[in-house]
Amino acid sequence: DRSGHGCPSSYLTSPACPLSHCPPVPTGWIPSVFQTMVPTGYTKLQEERGLAMADLGPKPDGNGYRPDPPHLEVRRHSDRVARTSVSLSDGGDVRYSETEPMLPEGTLSGEEGDDEEKEEEESQRPPTRNMPKESPLAMALQIVVPFLLAGFGTVSAGMVLDIVQHWDAFKYITEIFILVPALLGLKGNLEMTLASRLSTAVNVGKMDSPIEKWNLIIGNLALKQVQATVVGFLAAVAAVVLGWIPEGKFQMSHAVLLCSASVATAFIASMLQGFIMVGVIVGSKKTGINPDNVATPIAASFGDLITLAILAWISQGLYNCLDSHPYASSLVCAFFLSLTPVWMVISSKHPASRTLLYSGWEPVITAMVISSIGGLILDKTVSDPNLAGIVVYTPVINGIGGNLVAIQSSRISTHLHFHSAPGEVPEEAKGCYYPCRTFCGTGANHRSAQVLLLLVLPGHLIFLYTIHLMKSGHTTLTPIFMTVYLAAALLQVFLLLCIADWMVYSMWRSGKDPDSFSIPYLTALGDLLGTALLALSFQFLWYIGDQDSDVGD
């Protein structure tokens, strides 16, 4: 019942069809793979939404399409303008909640109208659809490409960290290593959270309206800049406390340098990655790919590399200016902190981000503290010459674990937004949690957990051999090393997927939006678990005699 143009045949002949003059779809194995990656359910859902939007416009007659009477069109246009002004200027009413903008088939944020208008909108609204089902093959094909892309990004970040650890700023101010997991974890605190929120918005149809789409995008980008600046400053404070206070040493110039480098890195990296994420989400929506499968890995694909490169460049530059320009660090820190009120004003104008501006600090700050503890472990491990090989692998194991658990968290959250009201969980998630529920249960996301867990071993093998071929790192790929490393990586992801299954449902039951609260905790736990398990692995290898930490030298 479909033509070669990819449109329903009954719709193709109408003037409203945007593909009426498109060339036929080519045949071959490449289009067939792409069709496997894009399930027909998502394509059909997008088509039905497009038809529903077309039904709100001119009504057809017997001879084709004709516009509505002028007075009715003017009235509809005025109604839209009025609603738009309320949505943009008033910013929504006081009853706006975190989960409201993500609920399916809801009205625009801040819309108010009389009973007659609401009845008219209800009659024009398409029926609620369930989420399209994905086969494990389609899911794996969608995940594997961004997963590998994100993995190579973390490998590049590890090799950069292996190089910059010998720079003067990193050798004489070793507390910068405490900043590394906290700043790299911003992709989980901010970028992946933004990706998860916008992915849910796409899947439930909240970005079909241009007004609501730009409300979500602008408000969330401004909110992200506020959070990045504040979290960057707090991460520097945590590095000072965790690094210098226990040793009884403190230098004000070094502390100011840490604050400046952390705030500037968080601000610049967050802005660059925010623009990338918006493009990925909009592109996924247009191509029919489920953004839950691709957005969060792509959010981390170059996030680690960009963040680490900016941190190293700014830290070394400010370190070189300590003697000649002692006030440079203070000016840099003051400049970026002074921009925070501007972003707060922009974020407060949009109802999609106003609530999170006041209530969204708990997860990002707690996640920053957890990641800083992982950074303290890294700092102490790097200080031991016998364990120097850990540096190149830390971003890899932390990044891969965070990427995989973010995909699972985003998928579970989208499923809850589709099928459950806030505070209510499906039957399979009720009762006490047990690990078998995550991988062998009757829920909708146990297959995705299986796919994600199966990607761990082949993915890490590819990344290990990439590091080996690039002649980076300080450790030889012996069988015992690979066995211990892969066991640590597998245990990390297994624990994270179990924690994600329990955490997302618990947050939904308590009325919190998992898109905003779960991923920061999960990626921070991934950093802590990854760094701790990797440190234990290298300590174990040292004790059993696998001692070759000078290979990279």
Side-chain angles (χ1 to χ4, degrees):
D1 193 26
R2 302 176 67 85
S3 70
H5 296 268
C7 298
S9 56
S10 60
Y11 187 56
L12 181 65
T13 56
S14 68
C17 176
L19 303 177
S20 56
H21 302 289
C22 64
V25 178
T27 58
W29 67 272
I30 295 180
S32 64
V33 171
F34 183 76
Q35 290 176 359
T36 305
M37 294 177 62
V38 183
T40 56
Y42 279 97
T43 307
K44 186 176 181 181
L45 187 61
Q46 294 294 337
E47 289 177 357
E48 291 181 354
R49 284 175 178 166
L51 291 172
M53 295 298 292
D55 290 341
L56 298 179
K59 301 295 187 293
D61 57 9
N63 298 323
Y65 281 75
R66 60 178 176 84
D68 290 330
H71 68 278
L72 182 57
E73 184 66 26
V74 170
R75 178 184 173 186
R76 287 183 175 175
H77 178 71
S78 62
D79 288 343
R80 293 192 190 103
V81 172
R83 291 170 185 153
T84 304
S85 63
V86 170
S87 177
L88 295 178
S89 62
D90 184 49
D93 55 25
V94 296
R95 295 172 296 176
Y96 190 89
S97 64
E98 296 171 349
T99 53
E100 181 180 349
M102 304 306 174
L103 294 178
E105 310 302 344
T107 58
L108 291 178
S109 304
E111 285 188 8
E112 293 181 0
D114 54 18
D115 295 338
E116 181 179 355
E117 291 178 346
K118 289 182 179 179
E119 292 177 0
E120 181 181 355
E121 291 174 1
E122 290 289 341
S123 63
Q124 296 173 345
R125 186 175 302 162
T128 303
R129 289 291 309 274
N130 292 331
M131 286 188 64
K133 293 184 178 180
E134 296 176 276
S135 66
L137 177 60
M139 187 190 313
L141 288 175
Q142 288 186 14
I143 292 174
V144 69
V145 175
F147 168 74
L148 292 176
L149 186 62
F152 288 125
T154 59
V155 168
S156 302
M159 291 189 289
V160 169
L161 185 60
D162 188 42
I163 294 172
V164 302
Q165 68 171 323
H166 303 294
W167 290 9
D168 291 340
F170 286 80
K171 286 195 298 183
Y172 297 109
I173 311 178
T174 60
E175 287 73 20
I176 297 179
F177 285 106
I178 301 179
L179 288 177
V180 170
L183 293 180
L184 297 187
L186 284 179
K187 71 178 185 297
N189 294 355
L190 305 179
E191 275 74 34
M192 288 185 177
T193 303
L194 171 68
S196 181
R197 285 201 296 262
L198 295 184
S199 297
T200 299
V202 168
N203 281 323
V204 301
K206 295 300 294 184
M207 292 186 72
D208 293 340
S209 166
I211 299 173
E212 185 72 359
K213 177 175 70 174
W214 288 111
N215 271 344
L216 288 169
I217 291 175
I218 296 175
N220 279 284
L221 287 179
L223 171 68
K224 197 161 70 71
Q225 291 306 115
V226 176
Q227 292 177 330
T229 305
V230 174
V231 171
F233 178 78
L234 294 178
V237 173
V240 172
V241 173
L242 295 175
W244 282 318
I245 298 301
E247 299 179 0
K249 299 178 181 179
F250 180 79
Q251 287 184 274
M252 179 59 70
S253 60
H254 289 183
V256 175
L257 186 150
L258 276 180
C259 290
S260 301
S262 181
V263 171
T265 300
F267 184 93
I268 298 172
S270 178
M271 178 171 288
L272 292 176
Q273 295 176 72
F275 291 141
I276 295 174
M277 282 319 306
V278 171
V280 169
I281 297 293
V282 174
S284 298
K285 179 180 183 297
K286 291 184 177 180
T287 56
I289 295 176
N290 183 3
D292 279 322
N293 293 336
V294 300
T296 50
I298 291 179
S301 58
F302 297 106
D304 289 345
L305 180 61
I306 292 173
T307 303
L308 190 55
I310 294 174
L311 175 64
W313 177 68
I314 293 178
S315 299
Q316 186 63 34
L318 293 177
Y319 182 81
N320 294 334
C321 295
L322 279 181
D323 295 329
S324 58
H325 302 85
Y327 297 104
S329 298
S330 302
L331 292 176
V332 170
C333 185
F335 171 75
F336 286 105
L337 289 177
S338 65
L339 295 177
T340 303
V342 177
W343 298 113
M344 293 179 66
V345 171
I346 297 176
S347 178
S348 63
K349 294 292 184 182
H350 298 273
S353 56
R354 183 191 299 119
T355 302
L356 292 175
L357 184 62
Y358 298 102
S359 64
W361 292 101
E362 174 193 344
V364 295
I365 293 177
T366 306
M368 180 272 300
V369 174
I370 296 174
S371 296
S372 297
I373 297 174
L376 180 61
I377 298 174
L378 177 62
D379 182 28
K380 299 303 180 183
T381 307
V382 171
S383 302
D384 187 351
N386 298 326
L387 306 178
I390 193 176
V391 174
V392 72
Y393 300 105
T394 301
V396 179
I397 192 171
N398 292 350
I400 297 306
N403 296 345
L404 294 178
V405 74
I407 295 174
Q408 182 71 352
S409 174
S410 183
R411 291 180 61 88
I412 298 175
S413 179
T414 298
H415 182 267
L416 289 173
H417 278 97
F418 249 101
H419 300 287
S420 302
E424 300 178 1
V425 295
E427 289 295 330
E428 64 270 11
K430 294 180 180 179
C432 297
Y433 172 78
Y434 52 96
C436 291
R437 188 183 77 187
T438 302
F439 302 96
C440 306
T442 58
N445 295 287
H446 69 281
R447 290 192 179 275
S448 60
Q450 296 171 2
V451 171
L452 294 173
L453 191 63
L454 290 175
L455 288 175
V456 174
L457 295 182
H460 274 288
L461 283 174
I462 293 174
F463 305 140
L464 285 175
Y465 276 103
T466 301
I467 294 174
H468 176 69
L469 292 175
M470 298 296 292
K471 300 185 184 303
S472 184
H474 299 260
T475 307
T476 305
L477 292 185
T478 60
I480 183 64
F481 169 77
M482 296 177 61
T483 302
V484 173
Y485 177 87
L486 293 176
L490 193 64
L491 178 60
Q492 177 210 26
V493 175
F494 177 83
L495 293 176
L496 288 176
L497 291 175
C498 293
I499 295 172
D501 194 19
W502 166 80
M503 182 179 291
V504 172
Y505 285 115
S506 298
M507 288 183 174
W508 185 264
R509 187 183 296 110
S510 63
K512 295 181 179 180
D513 185 3
D515 282 324
S516 301
F517 285 85
S518 63
I519 291 182
Y521 288 116
L522 293 171
T523 53
L525 288 173
D527 293 341
L528 180 58
L529 286 173
T531 307
L533 291 173
L534 198 58
L536 290 175
S537 299
F538 272 78
Q539 195 71 44
F540 172 75
L541 290 171
W542 177 260
Y543 282 140
I544 65 175
D546 192 20
Q547 305 168 358
D548 59 348
S549 61
D550 60 342
V551 172
D553 296 337

